[in-house]
Structures are given as C-alpha cells and as structure tokens.
Amino acid sequence: MLSCSSLYLPSQYLYRYQNSHKEEKSLNWIQKSKLSTFRGTVWVSLAYRDQFVWSTCWKRAHKTLRLPVTAQTFPHRPGSSCMTAALGPSWRRRGNGDPSVAKVSGGRKKTVSFSSMPSEKKVSSAADCLAFMQGGCELKKVRPNSRVYCRFYTLDAEQGCLRWEPSKKDTERARLDISAVREVRTGRSTETFLHNGPSDLLAEEAAFSILHGDEYQSLDLVALSADVANIWVTGLRYLVSHPGALGGGGVGEGGVLEGSVGSRMRRDWLAAEFAQGDEDGHGIVSEDTAVAAICRLCPGIKEAKVRLRFKEIQRSKEKLTTHVTLEEFQEAYCELCTRPDVYFLLVQLSKDRECLDAQDLRLFLESEQGLPLATTEGCLELARRFEPSAAGREKGLLGLDGFSRYLQSTECQLFDPEHQHVCQDMNLPMCQYYISASYRSYLLDDQVHGRADLGGLTRALQAGCRCLELGVTDGPDGEPLLVALRTALEVVHKYAFLTSRYPLLLYLCQRCCPGQQRTLAQHLKKVFGDELYKPEAPPLSPVGRGTTLPSPEQLKGRVVLMGKKLPPDEEGSEGEVSEEDEEIELGVVLVVPPPPQPRRLRLRRELSDLIAVARIGSRSFYPPDWTVCSLGEGEAGRLASESPEELVGFTKRCLTRVRPSSVRLDSSNPNPQGYWKGGVQLVALNQQTPGAMLDLSRGRFAQNGACGYVLRPAVMREEVSYFSAQSQGCVPGVPPQTLRVKVISAHNLPKPQGSGAKGEVIDPYVVLELHGVPADCAEQRTRTAAQNQDNPLFDETFEFQVNMPELALLRFVILDDDYIGDDFIGQYSIAFECLQSGYRNVPLLGLAGDPLPHASLFVHVAITNRRGGGKAQRRGLSVRRGVRRGREYVTLRNTGIRVLDDTFRSASTPLKEATDLREDAQSATVAFKEQCGLPPVAKLKQCIQSLATRLQGADGPPGATLILKDGYPCLEPLSNLNDTTRKLLNAYDVMISANKQLIENADGVQERIAQVQKDGMVFHEDLPKLGEKENLKGRKQSKVVESFTWNITVLKGQCDLLRTAKMDALDALRQLVLACEACGLALTSELQYTPHSLTSRRGSSHGNGRI
C-alpha cells in the first residue's frame, strides 16, 4: 500500500538539489516524486512503500543536504505511516550560526520543527495559496461510514479541478471540478463530521468541507495542521468567487493578484514609503534605510531579523551590492510583517478581495466582536484611523496592514473597556465588597526581619490598594517606630487618593506604651486632619440593632482607621483590651502555640476614639457591621473547607481579613482565590512579592476601574441565598457557562529574563489557568512551538466549564520549553466578567506586572451558557438537576417541614415548563445554525447570509421572501427548492415556532414561580419555630435553613433566567429581520416589523460581545 508525505527543503539548498547528478542518483529509487516551488521553497512529495524505504530516504537527504533532519511518524491506519518535516529558510544554530541545534551532552536535544509547512513562510496573497495547492499535500478524507483515508490532493495547472490519489477510481473520476463547488466550510460543521464518531478525534481547526453539486454533497477533509487548512480554504474560496481565475487567469507575476484591490493598495503604499528613502529617485536605497523603514512600519520587529532577511535575498540573487530595490523591499516586508492568521481572517471576511469595505467591517463587528450597534459611519472612521495607505483611507477600505493594526489596537483588547472605569454600584455597605489589601508592604526581603522602606507603601497605593497595614512599636525618644512614623504617615497621605478616591483603610497593629499611643494619635490627627473618618454617633440604630457600615461612595476621600478599640461602657482615659496573635507576631515568628489566655494591652482613649472599625476577638462589644475579624491563613483555610456556608453567612455583615502565615519568611503569598470564594473581603498580600498570587489579585481588582473595591457576587450579598465555597458542581443562582478560548498566535515574545539559553530562538508554549470555585479550577496548555522564535502560531482551542462566573479568573502564562534557569516569558490575568468575545489581542505583562513592549497573544473567545450552544447570559440560574427524558430539570430540596414542602412542591410544574421553554428555543436555534454550517456561537445574521446564498437564483429573485405571520418573521418559498435548502427552511420555521412559544408563555410561567417564592418567604422569620414543632434540633435545624435558602435561590434565579430568555428571543427576532433585509430577503413594502410590546435591549449593556 502506498502512502505519501512531503519533504520541505529550504530555498538556499535548491541549486544543490536540482543540479547535482549525485543527489538525483541517490534518490532515483523513489517510485514517484512531485516537485513544486512555494515562495522560494522546494516541496518534494514522496510516495513510499514501507517504513524502511522512508527511513533510507531521510538518511540520504541528511547526507546529501548536510542538514540536521529528524522525522516523526504519524500513523494513519495499520500498515502505513506519514512523516513530515519542515526546514525553515534560515538555519541558524543558537549562538554561532552552525546548523546543528543539539544541546550540550546530557541535555534535551533540539530537533527540527515539524509542521505542515515551514513556520517562517508567510502567506500574503491568494496566489500564494494557489501555488501551494498546485504543489499538493496530503489530506485526510472522512467518509460517512466513519472511515478515514489518506489522499494526496492537488489543484491542476489550469486551476479548474481538484485531483487526488491514490484512489480506486480512474484518473478522470478522482477529481472535483471547481465550477461544481457551492460552498467551502471551516471546522467540523457537516453531517459527516457531526454524526460520526472518529471525527471527534480530528482537530477542529484543521477540518474543512467542500460542498458541491446541486444537492450540496460534502467532501470532508482534515489537514495536517490549521495553517494548511486555511490555505486550502482561502484558495478554494477565491476560485469559487472569481470564476475568471479558472483556467489559470487572474494570477499575476510576483505572487500577487493583479485584480486584487487590497494587494494594489499594499503595493502602492510600500512604494510610497520606499520613495521617501529614495531621495535621488534611482529606485534603490541603502540597506540601513530599508531596515529602518521596515522597523518603523512594523513596530516590535527585531532589526537583526530584518537585516538577515535582506542578506538572504542578496545571496539568493548573488548580488555584490547591499543596495535594496523596491521589489526587494516589498518582498522583505511581506515576508517579515505579514501575519498569516490575520490574512486568512481578512480573506474570509472580504470575500477574497483582500480588503474590507464598511459593510464587511460592520458585519465583522456585529457577528464576531459583539457590537450590534456598529454603524457604517463608525466603520469608515476605523478605516481612516488604521489604514496606512492613502488610497485605502480615501475609499474607506481597510487592507491587510490596516486590519492588522486594528486587531492589535486597544479597541480589540481582551479586556472590556467598560471595566476600565468604575462600573459597579458603589452605594452598598462596605462589607459587600472585596477590598484590595496589602500586608507589611513597607518591609523588603522578608516580612519579619526585612528592612523597612517607604517605597513599598508608595507602590502599594499606586497599585490601587485600599487597605494598608501599619505595624507600630515603641521607638526611641518617645516616638513610635514605623521607619519614621510621621514621615510614613505623610507618604501615605500624599499618595492616598491619587489612584482611587474611594476610602483608604489603615489597619493599625500597634504594641506601644500608653505614652507613645498618645503621640501616635496626635500624628494621625495632624497628618490626616479632616480626612480622618470618625463616626459622629454611636453605631446603633434607635431600635438597638447595628447600623450598617457606610458605602464606599459615602466615604470617598476619607481615611478609616481599623484596630483595637475600648468598649463603649469603658470610662477613664485608658483601658485594657486583649492582645491577640497578630500583635504578638509583630517582629517575632511564632514557633510555639500562642498562650491559652490572651494577653492584656493598655489602650489610650485618645487613640481608641480615632478607630472607626474595631477589631474583634472572642467577644464583641460592637455590632458586627462595625467590626473587622482578622484571621490567620491557616485558620481561614480551615473555616473555608470545614464550614463554607457559615463563613459566607458571617461575611454578609462583618468585614473579615486574612493575613499570610508568619512562617512565610520569604514574604510569599497565599492563593487569594481560596478566601474570596468564602466571602472574605480583605485578603492581605505582600505587594512587594511578584508572582501568580499577586497577578490574580491585580486581575480581580482591575474589573472595577482598579479603584480597589469590587462588588462581591449576588449570592454572597442577598440575605436569603445559598452558596458554598466548596461547591463541586453548579452553583444555585448562577448559570454555568462554557468558555472557549482559541489561542491563535503570539507576537514579539522576548526571551526569559533569567534564561541561560543561548541564541535568540525560544520554544514557547501557552498555559491557560482558570481559577475559581473548586469545580471551575482547571489548567490546559498548547503544544510547544519548537524553534518558532518570537512569533509562533498555535491554532489550538480549549474549553472550560465555568460554574461561578463572578468568581472566575483566567490567566495566560507564556513559558519557554527550552530554558536554563527561568522559563517565564509573560502573563496576563483577567476576571471572567471582563472578557470580550471575538478576536482579541492579549497584552502580555512581565513578572512585576509591567507591560512587555509589543508582546501579545492573539486569541478568539466565545462564551456559551451550556455545552454546545447559545450566547452567554450574565445572570440566571442553573442548579442541581434531575435528568428526565434526556433533559435536565431543576429540583428543589426537601426541608422536612410539611407546610414548607407543600408550598415549594407547587413550583415543580412551572419550573419544568420554564426549562422546556428555554431549552426548546435554544435547541432549535442551535439546530438552525448547524444546518447553516455554522458553530453554535455564530450570530443569526451569519446564518441568514448563508441561507441567502443558497436561496439566491442565478439571475432572478431569491427563492424565498420574508413575511410576517401573527407578528413573527417567517420565510415563504417562492420557487421549487432542492431538498437541502428545504430542510434548512424547515429548521428556520422550527426556530421561529420555539421562540414564539417562549415569548408568549414566559410571563405566565414566571408569575407562577414568583408567587411560590413569595409564599415561601412568608415562613422565613418563623423557621426556628416551625423546626421546633417538627422536633428538629441542632444540625437538622441548620439543614432546614440551608434547604430553605437553596429553594428560594432556585426560584428567584429561575424567574431571572426566564425573563432574560424572553428578552433574548425578542432580540433574536430583531436580528433576523435586519439580516433578511440586508441580504435581500426583504419585507413587503406595506409591512413593518416591531418587537412585541417590548423594546429591544442595548446589545452591549453588559460588555461588548455578551448580550
């Protein structure tokens, strides 16, 4: 059985291969070989019978070309194997240029990078794709019977048909005419892929399908990698949309399409930039001038890389001069500065014109970037801002370079710009917020014996910290000691409100004698003056209950002291308070357990009166709202694991602080996520110690304008709600969401700062970490981009299940797989709530949180509210489920109190109806998208465009038109349609029917659920009495409260989810009408569509990309 593969030879060895008879003789035993040139690289396709012959071929190629060649085996079926090697155009050893890339003896060997094509070859036009296709490559053909075959596919010289071999068919039957191709789809989107088991094992990014014939039969293929699939898809789409190219027409010399508007724009722009350096007008410039121009036009590219490319061009042309011509300048720029990932995206959006007009850009913003309110005028403004060519700006077109600049701009960053400013309600009590806190940031090196430095306080305040710890002890000459106390307080006062105007909490941890306490109080009053907050009245309401803490909005610009405070009934100028573990640890590491009885500390009245929030011990003299409970790292961890529900309930009314363990002599930090999930507001971290824990803290507090305050999840704020920090599944009151992140590429990656690796080449890979509740925590990584230098391509998709979105954090970490010493390259941490969907750039940060110049990741993000379909919603409910008839239904808990259980039992029917309404509408929408060949995360406008293409006749009107039936948009056929198109219209009708049922029945079902919730809340205050009547005590009584709060949370969440689903259905109808009008499937002139008594929501009300 014959198998085939491709051996890629670098262009600088082309002459030796073609002209040496010795080499020809050494390979003359190969049964069949095909040679093609793709952008200066020889592609040799080899057919072989067995592994021995192939191994011999590699050995002779190694000897003939004098190159380090290593092969890998990729089995396709028993008895056959395929090996593919990519030899880049510029072989360099790490360090001194020797081709050998092996490390020192005993280390891991560096081998050739294996890929489907040379990693440094850039595709910058459709002509490049067609040239590659004519050379051919191996693709896997997937049949409906689940069998997979390896075939060698080529585009014939006339560009009129595809051919493949080996095949049982004769030569004329093993072909597919390009004129018969109706559509080219990406991914696994056809019936063959969706309903055959083996396809699940095939890479989504490397799969594509060719629909051909009047019945839209599918040829389903899988390439060796995503970049090869992109080349085939781009080339085929170009041929389908440009019938004139069939027969070899339309492709000009020099690797550009003569008729492409985008290529002409780029060529003219580069000629204009070249002319600026060609002052004499002779058509040549010096190498230094050309290098400087490319570095200016492409920020972040390394000058050495540009010079090396010009040297290669000079060697290939055997030039004796270093002057650069216009053609060489254009070639070098296109080779070095073209991003293949952006090019393939551009061609897909522009229908192979290689530039975007206003309508193309608007569709991209609406369908991919989640901006439904994009306008044509706004798109023209984007073109004027980012397009570098004068012709493009004048015509309102965005070419490849302009599109690349736009995708790399701040407007396409992963972080939602809505969260760059304070966007949360700041009028709730202070205990309802997470607060950024530091721990002894004035100490360097370690937290016990480290030297003090006021710069640490400055950096903490500039980073947005809103809670500083001040450890003060007795000093000489009657002056309390904290470096220099007065100076330290003045530094705090100077920087207190430069980054954030919200209140600054000073956690006072002092062990001073009464005399120096008086001095400390005087300094505090003199330095802060009126900014020092002192409650004007005792913190008690007229009915004797504790009043809540003021809100951050009320305390703007104020300094709030936290510490030990004398009881209200204490008289005299001083009194005694307990000296607890934290004060004992001040300056001494605890190596023995603390004393069983707390020590006593004398406290002056002057200092006590300045304390606004008292630190409580085992007994509390003040209402919980005006206290802070400080816990050690170990104690807080035990509470979070053993009593998670009680800890969350305690933090609803009391500020809680967690400090690092005293055994962390290196000032390392605990994981703050472990305490945030328990509701702890203040997790004190060593701000002077960079690392993953501090990265998570920065990501958390960036989501509210970096003001230092972030609102806690709703389930932690509501009086009657259920949440467990140790949740291993769905959280009641919160819908589980699916996050899909496709890591496409990285750009301008630096070497690890502490790396001992030689040379400039790195082997990067990306790690994605999801932090949150235990059920959400996950970690995945990409493959290593071996020897791919600083601009690797990954094209890998990862999926995460997120059960508690408000607590989830996503962290990207880029590491070097070939390192000696430090492997850290960069990182970026972001809260789930701040993610934007679509194509986004991720600016990378260094270890200390500082930006890495021009370094970034390019990713695609999609968020769904279940596995497989639907756009995500920000709020809603999904809880413990019972499976029935293949569908997941909400279940309520049994409380053990008869009257309560009878009340909650009446909700079972409306809860089931609510689930059916939502699931039917969602499933019908997903089915329609699949029929259109689109993924579940696609927008309906994309579906209508796909449908309109099939309905559009050759010359006449479309085969269907939009009409209104009972106020709902329906498509009515106007002519005879084939079975495939008729099936697609049926899926559309089912979707409209399901959404109609949801819209018309949602209000009634929601009212019934809300009534049960209202009836249940009547028993809230009487739960203890009801439990006593049922003889429930102790743990059983606590279980009653837990089940009651669970059920109330479920009912409230189901109401919210159903209300949101109805709004989404109305919004979907509006999208359908607008899309049909835009695609020519217009309403009749006398009909106008208006939403059903409800105005549509603003599409970006909760952030770009999520409605």
Side-chain angles (χ1 to χ4, degrees):
M1 182 180 293
L2 278 175
S3 297
C4 55
S5 183
S6 298
L7 167 63
Y8 312 122
L9 308 181
S11 56
Q12 55 264 44
Y13 300 101
L14 172 61
Y15 178 84
R16 178 183 298 166
Y17 182 83
Q18 287 183 333
N19 295 276
S20 172
H21 296 289
K22 181 178 179 180
E23 282 83 347
E24 290 179 3
K25 291 180 180 179
S26 67
L27 300 177
N28 61 10
W29 45 267
I30 300 177
Q31 284 196 339
K32 184 184 298 183
S33 72
K34 296 185 178 182
L35 295 171
S36 63
T37 302
F38 173 62
R39 296 186 64 81
T41 296
V42 180
W43 298 62
V44 186
S45 304
L46 305 173
Y48 55 95
R49 290 186 178 275
D50 53 39
Q51 181 68 31
F52 172 77
V53 174
W54 184 236
S55 300
T56 305
C57 171
W58 274 110
K59 293 177 182 178
R60 297 190 181 185
H62 173 90
K63 180 178 179 181
T64 300
L65 300 177
R66 298 182 178 89
L67 289 175
V69 178
T70 307
Q72 287 182 346
T73 301
F74 305 95
H76 295 288
R77 59 185 182 276
S80 69
S81 59
C82 172
M83 301 182 214
T84 303
L87 308 183
S90 53
W91 283 86
R92 300 182 297 276
R93 189 182 66 140
R94 297 175 183 264
N96 58 12
D98 186 86
S100 175
V101 289
K103 282 189 178 181
V104 294
S105 177
R108 179 173 59 87
K109 289 187 176 181
K110 297 301 297 176
T111 60
V112 177
S113 171
F114 285 85
S115 176
S116 57
M117 62 176 295
S119 58
E120 294 189 22
K121 291 300 176 186
K122 300 294 180 65
V123 176
S124 59
S125 70
D128 295 339
C129 299
L130 298 180
F132 175 86
M133 294 164 62
Q134 288 177 325
C137 73
E138 184 181 85
L139 301 173
K140 296 177 183 177
K141 180 180 179 181
V142 183
R143 297 294 300 273
N145 60 6
S146 302
R147 298 191 66 179
V148 180
Y149 301 90
C150 292
R151 298 288 184 261
F152 191 87
Y153 285 80
T154 58
L155 175 68
D156 69 351
E158 290 76 24
Q159 302 175 7
C161 69
L162 294 180
R163 298 183 183 273
W164 58 89
E165 56 186 27
S167 174
K168 296 179 180 179
K169 301 177 182 178
D170 57 54
T171 306
E172 290 305 314
R173 293 185 60 195
R175 55 175 287 169
L176 174 63
D177 291 334
I178 299 298
S179 58
V181 176
R182 300 290 180 262
E183 183 182 347
V184 182
R185 295 182 181 177
T186 58
R188 302 193 301 261
S189 58
T190 62
E191 293 288 332
T192 300
F193 277 127
L194 292 174
H195 303 294
N196 288 281
S199 63
D200 295 336
L201 305 177
L202 303 174
E204 172 83 20
E205 295 80 8
F208 65 100
S209 301
I210 304 173
L211 304 185
H212 57 91
D214 295 334
E215 297 299 324
Y216 284 78
Q217 297 172 318
S218 66
L219 174 61
D220 302 292
L221 304 170
V222 180
L224 292 180
S225 69
D227 48 356
V228 170
N230 285 330
I231 290 176
W232 280 93
V233 170
T234 301
L236 289 170
R237 284 177 173 172
Y238 170 78
L239 293 175
V240 171
S241 60
H242 296 79
L246 302 182
V251 180
E253 299 297 329
V256 295
L257 295 180
E258 298 297 339
S260 169
V261 177
S263 62
R264 290 200 303 270
M265 284 168 44
R266 191 183 209 193
R267 189 167 60 248
D268 295 343
W269 167 61
L270 290 175
E273 295 292 339
F274 182 85
Q276 294 181 11
D278 183 17
E279 299 177 354
D280 299 331
H282 297 317
I284 59 174
V285 297
S286 66
E287 181 180 304
D288 291 341
T289 302
V291 170
I294 291 181
C295 291
R296 173 174 54 84
L297 298 177
C298 186
I301 193 170
K302 296 178 181 178
E303 180 180 335
K305 189 175 183 179
V306 181
R307 291 190 181 277
L308 179 60
R309 183 57 190 149
F310 279 123
K311 298 296 184 186
E312 291 173 351
I313 294 175
Q314 292 163 14
R315 285 198 301 269
S316 66
K317 295 184 178 182
E318 299 183 353
K319 292 176 59 176
L320 300 178
T321 176
T322 60
H323 288 99
V324 177
T325 65
L326 173 60
E327 292 73 16
E328 293 168 349
F329 177 79
Q330 291 174 332
E331 177 185 350
Y333 179 87
C334 293
E335 179 73 25
L336 296 172
C337 303
T338 298
R339 289 178 51 179
D341 47 350
V342 176
Y343 172 75
F344 291 131
L345 177 60
L346 175 77
V347 173
Q348 177 183 346
L349 298 172
S350 66
K351 304 178 182 63
D352 305 285
R353 294 194 311 272
E354 298 187 325
C355 65
L356 301 175
D357 59 21
Q359 293 302 322
D360 295 331
L361 188 55
R362 181 177 179 180
L363 175 62
F364 171 70
L365 296 178
E366 291 177 347
S367 61
E368 290 290 354
Q369 304 300 87
L371 297 174
L373 301 182
T375 63
T376 302
E377 294 75 14
C379 295
L380 291 174
E381 176 61 25
L382 286 179
R384 287 190 288 268
R385 287 172 52 195
F386 293 101
E387 175 55 37
S389 68
R393 292 194 299 269
E394 182 180 350
K395 298 177 182 179
L397 301 176
L398 200 62
L400 176 57
D401 299 284
F403 191 47
S404 298
R405 293 183 180 188
Y406 170 66
L407 292 177
Q408 202 63 25
S409 69
T410 56
E411 298 195 18
C412 284
Q413 283 189 356
L414 182 63
F415 190 87
D416 190 340
E418 179 183 341
H419 293 269
Q420 292 177 351
H421 311 283
V422 176
C423 57
Q424 297 178 342
D425 184 4
M426 303 300 290
N427 293 296
L428 299 179
M430 192 181 298
C431 59
Q432 304 297 350
Y433 299 84
Y434 294 122
I435 304 173
S436 178
S438 72
Y439 181 71
R440 301 181 184 175
S441 295
Y442 52 88
L443 295 179
L444 302 180
D445 302 326
D446 67 72
Q447 59 179 270
V448 177
H449 302 294
R451 58 187 178 88
D453 179 28
L454 294 180
L457 294 174
T458 302
R459 288 187 291 272
L461 291 170
Q462 290 176 333
C465 285
R466 293 289 85 195
C467 180
L468 297 181
E469 177 183 352
L470 300 180
V472 185
T473 57
D474 285 336
D477 303 325
E479 186 73 18
L481 182 62
L482 171 68
V483 192
L485 179 64
R486 180 63 181 264
T487 304
L489 295 178
E490 289 175 348
V491 168
V492 171
H493 179 256
K494 178 180 178 180
Y495 293 93
F497 303 106
L498 294 182
T499 302
S500 172
R501 289 293 302 167
Y502 288 99
L504 174 65
L505 310 180
L506 293 184
Y507 188 87
L508 203 58
C509 187
Q510 60 90 19
R511 291 185 65 197
C512 298
C513 64
Q516 295 201 15
Q517 289 179 25
R518 187 188 303 111
T519 304
L520 173 59
Q522 293 173 353
H523 286 326
L524 289 170
K525 289 188 287 187
K526 288 180 181 178
V527 172
F528 296 111
D530 295 337
E531 293 180 350
L532 194 62
Y533 174 75
K534 297 185 290 292
E536 297 179 357
L540 292 173
S541 66
V543 295
R545 298 182 62 182
T547 59
T548 59
L549 281 168
S551 68
E553 187 68 32
Q554 291 174 316
L555 294 179
K556 258 187 174 180
R558 306 298 294 272
V559 175
V560 180
L561 292 184
M562 308 168 70
K564 284 298 182 179
K565 189 174 180 68
L566 294 175
D569 55 355
E570 184 78 28
E571 297 180 357
S573 59
E574 63 182 57
E576 281 192 348
V577 293
S578 62
E579 181 188 25
E580 298 172 359
D581 299 346
E582 190 166 2
E583 283 77 18
I584 298 173
E585 292 177 13
L586 192 61
V588 179
V589 180
L590 287 179
V591 293
V592 294
Q597 295 296 328
R599 301 176 185 176
R600 308 299 293 176
L601 174 71
R602 301 295 296 179
L603 183 63
R604 291 287 301 180
R605 172 67 62 182
E606 294 94 323
L607 183 58
S608 176
D609 290 344
L610 299 180
I611 303 297
V613 180
R615 181 187 171 198
I616 59 173
S618 57
R619 294 183 180 181
S620 173
F621 299 98
Y622 279 77
D625 291 313
W626 287 84
T627 57
V628 56
C629 179
S630 184
L631 303 174
E633 174 186 338
E635 183 181 3
R638 285 191 297 272
L639 288 174
S641 60
E642 297 174 3
S643 307
E645 297 89 350
E646 288 80 356
L647 180 59
V648 172
F650 178 76
T651 60
K652 289 182 180 180
R653 293 180 57 84
C654 180
L655 281 175
T656 307
R657 173 179 178 267
V658 172
R659 62 186 184 274
S661 171
S662 60
V663 299
R664 294 183 179 271
L665 300 182
D666 58 351
S667 292
S668 59
N669 287 311
N671 188 347
Q673 192 70 40
Y675 308 107
W676 287 332
K677 68 184 182 184
V680 174
Q681 298 92 341
L682 295 154
V683 181
L685 298 179
N686 293 288
Q687 299 288 329
Q688 70 274 29
T689 307
M693 303 303 103
L694 199 57
D695 294 339
L696 295 178
S697 179
R698 289 168 178 157
R700 167 71 62 210
F701 290 102
Q703 71 181 96
N704 193 28
C707 71
Y709 289 81
V710 170
L711 200 60
R712 298 195 305 166
V715 293
M716 294 183 181
R717 304 194 310 266
E718 297 170 351
E719 185 66 25
V720 180
S721 62
Y722 178 88
F723 175 72
S724 172
Q726 297 301 319
S727 175
Q728 295 293 334
C730 296
V731 179
V734 182
Q737 300 182 8
T738 299
L739 171 66
R740 291 185 179 89
V741 181
K742 181 179 182 180
V743 181
I744 302 173
S745 58
H747 301 280
N748 302 316
L749 297 180
K751 284 188 59 180
Q753 292 184 355
S755 174
K758 300 178 180 179
E760 295 298 324
V761 181
I762 58 177
D763 293 347
Y765 64 96
V766 183
V767 178
L768 289 83
E769 304 171 354
L770 186 67
H771 299 262
V773 296
D776 294 346
C777 293
E779 178 179 309
Q780 300 190 59
R781 58 157 290 177
T782 68
R783 61 177 173 82
T784 298
Q787 292 192 11
N788 222 335
Q789 299 192 44
D790 51 359
N791 293 291
L793 290 174
F794 297 104
D795 267 322
E796 295 186 59
T797 301
F798 305 96
E799 182 175 295
F800 300 92
Q801 190 75 8
V802 185
N803 294 281
M804 187 67 176
E806 289 178 284
L807 279 180
L809 287 160
L810 180 64
R811 184 170 184 255
F812 298 88
V813 188
I814 298 85
L815 303 172
D816 185 7
D817 207 11
D818 174 40
Y819 71 98
I820 301 175
D822 185 16
D823 63 343
F824 178 84
I825 295 176
Q827 65 84 28
Y828 187 79
S829 302
I830 183 172
F832 183 88
E833 296 287 296
C834 300
L835 290 173
Q836 291 198 98
S837 64
Y839 290 93
R840 302 294 171 182
N841 74 78
V842 183
L844 297 179
L845 307 177
L847 188 63
D850 51 314
L852 297 176
H854 307 293
S856 65
L857 289 177
F858 187 48
V859 301
H860 182 270
V861 174
I863 303 172
T864 59
N865 61 354
R866 69 169 187 174
R867 291 188 183 274
K871 290 302 292 181
Q873 306 303 324
R874 270 181 119 58
R875 301 290 182 268
L877 178 67
S878 182
V879 297
R880 188 181 64 175
R881 303 176 176 104
V883 179
R884 181 181 176 187
R885 300 197 315 271
R887 177 160 288 181
E888 299 174 336
Y889 291 105
V890 173
T891 59
L892 299 180
R893 290 182 176 181
N894 186 17
T895 63
I897 298 178
R898 183 177 304 174
V899 64
L900 271 180
D901 292 336
D902 291 341
T903 301
F904 287 134
R905 193 174 295 114
S906 61
S908 58
T909 299
L911 286 175
K912 178 180 178 297
E913 293 176 2
T915 301
D916 287 337
L917 289 173
R918 294 195 322 271
E919 292 290 330
D920 288 345
Q922 192 175 61
S923 298
T925 302
V926 171
F928 174 62
K929 293 177 180 179
E930 289 181 351
Q931 286 293 327
C932 294
L934 295 171
V937 295
K939 294 294 182 64
L940 289 175
K941 187 170 185 178
Q942 295 171 290
C943 298
I944 295 300
Q945 284 187 320
S946 176
L947 175 60
T949 302
R950 299 191 184 189
L951 293 174
Q952 191 65 44
D955 299 316
T961 186
L962 185 70
I963 62 172
L964 293 182
K965 291 183 179 180
D966 300 327
Y968 292 89
C970 300
L971 288 173
E972 183 174 286
L974 299 179
S975 61
N976 292 328
L977 303 174
N978 58 47
D979 292 340
T980 304
T981 306
R982 192 178 300 110
K983 186 177 180 180
L984 187 53
L985 284 181
N986 290 337
Y988 177 89
D989 293 338
V990 171
M991 178 183 66
I992 295 298
S993 177
N995 280 277
K996 177 182 178 181
Q997 291 295 321
L998 172 61
I999 292 171
E1000 295 180 352
N1001 295 291
D1003 290 341
V1005 175
Q1006 179 187 332
E1007 289 176 3
R1008 291 158 60 192
I1009 297 174
Q1011 184 61 46
V1012 176
Q1013 178 193 353
K1014 182 178 178 180
D1015 294 343
M1017 285 299 295
V1018 173
F1019 300 100
H1020 179 225
E1021 298 293 338
D1022 298 328
L1023 281 180
K1025 296 180 180 179
L1026 294 174
E1028 291 178 0
K1029 291 182 180 180
E1030 299 288 344
N1031 295 321
L1032 301 176
K1033 299 178 181 179
R1035 178 57 185 166
K1036 292 183 178 180
Q1037 178 71 22
S1038 300
K1039 197 68 176 178
V1040 169
V1041 176
E1042 179 182 312
S1043 298
F1044 176 82
T1045 55
W1046 172 284
N1047 292 344
I1048 293 297
T1049 304
V1050 165
L1051 295 172
K1052 181 180 182 301
Q1054 283 292 313
C1055 288
D1056 294 341
L1057 192 57
L1058 191 57
R1059 185 186 306 111
T1060 303
K1062 177 183 177 180
M1063 298 301 294
D1064 284 340
L1066 290 171
D1067 189 62
L1069 298 183
R1070 180 182 64 86
Q1071 289 184 40
L1072 289 171
V1073 172
L1074 295 176
C1076 288
E1077 291 177 344
C1079 295
L1081 309 174
L1083 291 165
T1084 55
S1085 57
E1086 67 272 11
L1087 295 177
Q1088 295 293 329
Y1089 174 77
T1090 55
H1092 295 69
S1093 71
L1094 288 174
T1095 57
S1096 61
R1097 296 173 297 163
R1098 183 172 68 91
S1100 58
S1101 61
H1102 289 301
N1104 298 333
R1106 292 203 301 277
I1107 297 175

